[in-house]
Short mmCIF file of all heavy atoms in Angstrom, two decimals:
data_model
loop_
_atom_site.label_atom_id
_atom_site.label_comp_id
_atom_site.label_asym_id
_atom_site.label_seq_id
_atom_site.Cartn_x
_atom_site.Cartn_y
_atom_site.Cartn_z
N GLU A 63 59.37 107.96 -127.61
CA GLU A 63 59.76 108.21 -128.97
C GLU A 63 60.50 106.93 -129.55
O GLU A 63 60.26 106.58 -130.69
CB GLU A 63 60.64 109.41 -129.00
CG GLU A 63 61.10 109.82 -130.42
CD GLU A 63 61.89 111.08 -130.52
OE1 GLU A 63 61.45 112.05 -129.91
OE2 GLU A 63 62.98 111.03 -131.01
N SER A 64 61.47 106.45 -128.85
CA SER A 64 62.24 105.34 -129.29
C SER A 64 61.51 104.11 -129.40
O SER A 64 61.61 103.29 -130.38
CB SER A 64 63.50 105.12 -128.39
OG SER A 64 63.10 104.68 -127.13
N PHE A 65 60.43 103.94 -128.51
CA PHE A 65 59.53 102.79 -128.61
C PHE A 65 58.73 102.79 -129.75
O PHE A 65 58.73 101.93 -130.54
CB PHE A 65 58.68 102.77 -127.36
CG PHE A 65 57.49 101.74 -127.48
CD1 PHE A 65 57.89 100.34 -127.40
CD2 PHE A 65 56.32 102.11 -127.72
CE1 PHE A 65 56.77 99.48 -127.66
CE2 PHE A 65 55.15 101.06 -127.89
CZ PHE A 65 55.59 99.75 -127.87
N ALA A 66 58.14 103.96 -130.15
CA ALA A 66 57.29 104.09 -131.35
C ALA A 66 58.18 103.86 -132.52
O ALA A 66 57.64 103.20 -133.58
CB ALA A 66 56.77 105.58 -131.42
N THR A 67 59.39 104.42 -132.64
CA THR A 67 60.22 104.12 -133.82
C THR A 67 60.50 102.66 -133.91
O THR A 67 60.46 102.14 -135.11
CB THR A 67 61.53 104.96 -133.68
OG1 THR A 67 61.25 106.26 -133.56
CG2 THR A 67 62.41 104.75 -134.85
N CYS A 68 60.74 101.95 -132.84
CA CYS A 68 61.18 100.57 -133.01
C CYS A 68 59.89 99.67 -133.37
O CYS A 68 60.17 98.77 -134.14
CB CYS A 68 61.59 100.03 -131.62
SG CYS A 68 63.32 100.68 -131.16
N VAL A 69 58.68 99.91 -133.00
CA VAL A 69 57.52 99.17 -133.23
C VAL A 69 57.19 99.40 -134.80
O VAL A 69 56.72 98.49 -135.40
CB VAL A 69 56.36 99.50 -132.26
CG1 VAL A 69 55.21 98.85 -132.80
CG2 VAL A 69 56.68 98.96 -130.86
N GLU A 70 57.38 100.66 -135.32
CA GLU A 70 57.11 101.02 -136.54
C GLU A 70 58.05 100.49 -137.57
O GLU A 70 57.71 100.14 -138.76
CB GLU A 70 56.87 102.57 -136.82
CG GLU A 70 55.70 103.03 -136.10
CD GLU A 70 55.65 104.63 -135.97
OE1 GLU A 70 56.59 105.12 -136.74
OE2 GLU A 70 54.81 105.11 -135.40
N ASP A 71 59.39 100.38 -137.16
CA ASP A 71 60.40 100.18 -138.03
C ASP A 71 60.87 98.65 -137.99
O ASP A 71 61.50 98.36 -136.90
CB ASP A 71 61.63 101.06 -137.78
CG ASP A 71 62.83 100.96 -138.72
OD1 ASP A 71 62.47 100.41 -139.93
OD2 ASP A 71 63.86 101.34 -138.34
N ALA A 72 60.70 97.87 -138.90
CA ALA A 72 61.02 96.49 -138.82
C ALA A 72 62.12 95.98 -139.86
O ALA A 72 62.03 95.03 -140.38
CB ALA A 72 59.77 95.69 -139.01
N LYS A 73 62.85 97.04 -140.23
CA LYS A 73 63.96 96.78 -141.24
C LYS A 73 64.79 95.65 -140.67
O LYS A 73 65.15 95.53 -139.52
CB LYS A 73 64.77 98.03 -141.55
CG LYS A 73 63.92 99.04 -142.21
CD LYS A 73 64.91 100.30 -142.38
CE LYS A 73 64.18 101.36 -142.97
NZ LYS A 73 64.74 102.70 -142.81
N GLU A 74 65.21 94.68 -141.61
CA GLU A 74 65.98 93.69 -141.22
C GLU A 74 65.43 92.67 -140.18
O GLU A 74 66.23 92.03 -139.43
CB GLU A 74 67.41 94.15 -140.92
CG GLU A 74 68.19 95.02 -141.91
CD GLU A 74 69.50 95.46 -141.53
OE1 GLU A 74 70.08 94.81 -140.70
OE2 GLU A 74 69.90 96.51 -141.95
N ALA A 75 64.16 92.68 -140.06
CA ALA A 75 63.49 91.67 -139.12
C ALA A 75 63.62 90.34 -139.75
O ALA A 75 63.34 90.22 -140.93
CB ALA A 75 62.10 92.09 -138.92
N PRO A 76 63.90 89.38 -138.87
CA PRO A 76 64.02 87.91 -139.34
C PRO A 76 62.50 87.52 -139.82
O PRO A 76 61.64 87.99 -139.22
CB PRO A 76 64.39 87.12 -138.15
CG PRO A 76 64.71 88.06 -137.09
CD PRO A 76 64.32 89.38 -137.55
N SER A 77 62.45 86.82 -140.84
CA SER A 77 61.19 86.43 -141.30
C SER A 77 60.99 84.92 -141.36
O SER A 77 62.03 84.16 -141.33
CB SER A 77 60.97 86.88 -142.75
OG SER A 77 61.79 86.38 -143.68
N ILE A 78 59.78 84.44 -141.18
CA ILE A 78 59.33 83.05 -141.20
C ILE A 78 58.04 82.88 -141.85
O ILE A 78 57.19 83.75 -141.80
CB ILE A 78 59.43 82.58 -139.75
CG1 ILE A 78 59.40 80.93 -139.65
CG2 ILE A 78 58.30 83.14 -138.90
CD1 ILE A 78 59.65 80.44 -138.30
N SER A 79 57.98 81.80 -142.67
CA SER A 79 56.77 81.49 -143.35
C SER A 79 55.74 80.78 -142.42
O SER A 79 56.07 79.95 -141.58
CB SER A 79 56.99 80.52 -144.51
OG SER A 79 57.68 81.23 -145.47
N ILE A 80 54.37 81.26 -142.56
CA ILE A 80 53.31 80.68 -141.84
C ILE A 80 52.26 80.27 -142.79
O ILE A 80 52.14 80.78 -143.85
CB ILE A 80 52.86 81.50 -140.74
CG1 ILE A 80 52.17 82.88 -141.33
CG2 ILE A 80 53.93 82.04 -139.72
CD1 ILE A 80 51.30 83.72 -140.41
N ASP A 81 51.45 79.34 -142.33
CA ASP A 81 50.29 78.79 -143.08
C ASP A 81 49.08 79.04 -142.03
O ASP A 81 49.35 78.97 -140.79
CB ASP A 81 50.48 77.31 -143.38
CG ASP A 81 49.23 76.79 -144.12
OD1 ASP A 81 49.25 76.92 -145.50
OD2 ASP A 81 48.29 76.33 -143.51
N ARG A 82 47.95 79.25 -142.56
CA ARG A 82 46.72 79.54 -141.72
C ARG A 82 46.58 78.34 -140.60
O ARG A 82 46.09 78.65 -139.54
CB ARG A 82 45.51 79.47 -142.46
CG ARG A 82 45.36 80.71 -143.33
CD ARG A 82 44.01 80.59 -144.11
NE ARG A 82 43.93 81.66 -145.14
CZ ARG A 82 43.51 82.93 -144.88
NH1 ARG A 82 43.15 83.24 -143.57
NH2 ARG A 82 43.49 83.77 -145.80
N ASN A 83 47.03 77.17 -140.88
CA ASN A 83 46.86 76.09 -139.96
C ASN A 83 48.02 75.90 -139.02
O ASN A 83 48.02 75.01 -138.15
CB ASN A 83 46.61 74.74 -140.77
CG ASN A 83 45.43 74.91 -141.63
OD1 ASN A 83 44.36 75.45 -141.27
ND2 ASN A 83 45.63 74.37 -142.96
N ASP A 84 49.07 76.74 -138.99
CA ASP A 84 50.23 76.62 -138.21
C ASP A 84 49.96 77.18 -136.81
O ASP A 84 49.02 77.91 -136.62
CB ASP A 84 51.34 77.44 -138.74
CG ASP A 84 52.00 76.72 -139.98
OD1 ASP A 84 51.93 75.44 -140.09
OD2 ASP A 84 52.47 77.41 -140.85
N SER A 85 50.85 76.68 -135.93
CA SER A 85 50.80 77.23 -134.67
C SER A 85 52.12 77.97 -134.47
O SER A 85 53.17 77.38 -134.79
CB SER A 85 50.84 76.10 -133.54
OG SER A 85 50.91 76.54 -132.27
N ILE A 86 52.04 79.20 -134.07
CA ILE A 86 53.21 80.01 -133.93
C ILE A 86 53.60 79.97 -132.48
O ILE A 86 52.90 80.41 -131.58
CB ILE A 86 52.93 81.49 -134.38
CG1 ILE A 86 52.48 81.51 -135.84
CG2 ILE A 86 54.20 82.33 -134.20
CD1 ILE A 86 51.95 82.75 -136.34
N LYS A 87 54.96 79.59 -132.26
CA LYS A 87 55.35 79.52 -130.80
C LYS A 87 56.32 80.60 -130.67
O LYS A 87 57.26 80.87 -131.43
CB LYS A 87 56.04 78.24 -130.52
CG LYS A 87 54.97 77.02 -130.60
CD LYS A 87 55.63 75.65 -130.86
CE LYS A 87 54.67 74.59 -131.08
NZ LYS A 87 54.00 74.67 -132.37
N VAL A 88 56.21 81.34 -129.53
CA VAL A 88 57.09 82.50 -129.25
C VAL A 88 57.86 82.21 -128.00
O VAL A 88 57.08 81.79 -126.98
CB VAL A 88 56.27 83.84 -129.23
CG1 VAL A 88 57.14 85.08 -128.75
CG2 VAL A 88 55.46 84.15 -130.45
N GLY A 89 59.08 82.35 -127.97
CA GLY A 89 59.79 82.15 -126.80
C GLY A 89 60.68 83.41 -126.42
O GLY A 89 61.20 84.01 -127.26
N VAL A 90 60.71 83.69 -125.14
CA VAL A 90 61.58 84.78 -124.60
C VAL A 90 62.48 84.40 -123.52
O VAL A 90 62.22 83.29 -122.92
CB VAL A 90 60.57 86.02 -124.12
CG1 VAL A 90 59.65 86.49 -125.19
CG2 VAL A 90 59.82 85.61 -122.80
N GLU A 91 63.42 85.01 -123.22
CA GLU A 91 64.38 84.76 -122.10
C GLU A 91 63.73 85.04 -120.76
O GLU A 91 62.86 85.79 -120.67
CB GLU A 91 65.64 85.57 -122.27
CG GLU A 91 66.50 85.12 -123.51
CD GLU A 91 67.93 85.72 -123.43
OE1 GLU A 91 68.28 86.37 -122.45
OE2 GLU A 91 68.71 85.62 -124.49
N PRO A 92 64.10 84.29 -119.81
CA PRO A 92 63.44 84.48 -118.35
C PRO A 92 63.43 85.90 -117.84
O PRO A 92 62.49 86.33 -117.22
CB PRO A 92 64.42 83.60 -117.58
CG PRO A 92 64.95 82.63 -118.47
CD PRO A 92 65.14 83.31 -119.75
N ASP A 93 64.49 86.65 -118.21
CA ASP A 93 64.49 88.06 -117.72
C ASP A 93 63.32 88.90 -118.28
O ASP A 93 62.65 89.74 -117.67
CB ASP A 93 65.83 88.81 -117.96
CG ASP A 93 67.05 88.37 -117.20
OD1 ASP A 93 66.79 87.59 -116.25
OD2 ASP A 93 68.10 88.56 -117.54
N VAL A 94 62.91 88.68 -119.52
CA VAL A 94 61.82 89.36 -120.23
C VAL A 94 60.58 88.76 -119.64
O VAL A 94 59.63 89.55 -119.41
CB VAL A 94 61.93 88.98 -121.71
CG1 VAL A 94 60.67 89.50 -122.50
CG2 VAL A 94 63.23 89.75 -122.33
N ALA A 95 60.48 87.46 -119.42
CA ALA A 95 59.24 86.89 -118.90
C ALA A 95 58.94 87.37 -117.48
O ALA A 95 57.75 87.59 -117.14
CB ALA A 95 59.39 85.44 -118.92
N GLU A 96 59.97 87.64 -116.81
CA GLU A 96 59.85 87.97 -115.34
C GLU A 96 59.13 89.46 -115.38
O GLU A 96 58.22 89.67 -114.45
CB GLU A 96 61.25 88.12 -114.69
CG GLU A 96 61.21 88.52 -113.21
CD GLU A 96 62.51 88.50 -112.70
OE1 GLU A 96 63.26 87.57 -112.80
OE2 GLU A 96 62.88 89.42 -111.85
N ARG A 97 59.46 90.32 -116.15
CA ARG A 97 58.84 91.62 -116.24
C ARG A 97 57.43 91.53 -116.78
O ARG A 97 56.47 92.12 -116.43
CB ARG A 97 59.65 92.67 -116.95
CG ARG A 97 58.96 94.08 -117.01
CD ARG A 97 59.81 95.09 -117.52
NE ARG A 97 60.68 95.63 -116.55
CZ ARG A 97 61.99 95.69 -116.60
NH1 ARG A 97 62.54 95.50 -117.82
NH2 ARG A 97 62.73 96.26 -115.67
N GLY A 98 57.29 90.82 -117.95
CA GLY A 98 56.14 90.66 -118.63
C GLY A 98 56.29 91.00 -120.20
O GLY A 98 57.21 91.82 -120.46
#
Side-chain angles (χ1 to χ4, degrees):
E63 183 179 306
S64 66
F65 170 73
T67 300
C68 287
V69 170
E70 291 170 9
D71 186 20
K73 292 177 185 165
E74 301 179 30
S77 66
I78 191 164
S79 292
I80 64 169
D81 182 89
R82 288 179 190 276
N83 302 319
D84 285 331
S85 179
I86 301 167
K87 296 163 186 71
V88 179
V90 301
E91 289 190 13
D93 289 346
V94 174
E96 187 176 312
R97 177 171 281 129

